[in-house]
Amino acid sequence: MFEKGEIILAKFPFSSLESSKRKPCLVLSHGDTSGDLIIAFITSSNIPSYFKFSINLSPKEKNFINTGLKIESYIRIDKIATIHESLISGSIGKVSHLVQTEVDSKIKLLFGL
């Protein structure tokens, strides 16, 4: 149902796993279990430039409108979770091919591939 590169609204768990919050997330892949998706967190909090696993999504970019996001945001490649699609409210947009290429590169960097 949801595809790689889609931006969805989902309950994303905090690092402590004590709670979750409905946030935009980027679909990275489908899991092995039916209905599972591997996603990356998207935040509107300003991220320091030295965070090497973050990707800026700026309203100044020509394809920003396709993301469905309302304000400048950051994909956090280092904030990944596997969730069931029942936790997803819906899709709001999609990243550009250029952003997807950057996501793929940063995933390789993160895992040393």
Side-chain angles (χ1 to χ4, degrees):
M1 179 177 195
F2 300 101
E3 298 300 322
K4 179 179 178 177
E6 264 187 272
I7 296 178
I8 57 170
L9 293 176
K11 283 186 175 181
F12 193 92
F14 290 108
S15 297
S16 67
L17 300 178
E18 293 181 13
S19 62
S20 63
K21 186 175 180 182
R22 189 171 161 247
K23 300 288 289 179
C25 303
L26 179 68
V27 175
L28 300 175
S29 181
H30 289 269
D32 280 340
T33 306
S34 178
D36 279 355
L37 292 173
I38 301 164
I39 59 172
F41 179 75
I42 298 176
T43 183
S44 60
S45 296
N46 196 7
I47 300 298
S49 61
Y50 59 83
F51 278 24
K52 63 183 174 182
F53 301 119
S54 297
I55 298 169
N56 179 258
L57 299 172
S58 172
K60 296 175 185 174
E61 296 171 14
K62 70 175 186 171
N63 293 322
F64 181 80
I65 190 92
N66 296 333
T67 66
L69 299 168
K70 296 180 179 169
I71 60 175
E72 182 172 31
S73 299
Y74 298 83
I75 302 169
R76 295 289 309 273
I77 299 303
D78 61 331
K79 301 283 185 184
I80 296 174
T82 301
I83 65 167
H84 190 267
E85 62 187 16
S86 63
L87 298 175
I88 299 170
S89 302
S91 176
I92 62 169
K94 191 164 179 68
V95 295
S96 68
H97 178 69
L98 184 63
V99 170
Q100 186 60 57
T101 299
E102 188 175 0
V103 167
D104 294 344
S105 294
K106 294 217 183 226
I107 288 172
K108 289 177 183 175
L109 180 65
L110 175 67
F111 290 108
L113 302 174

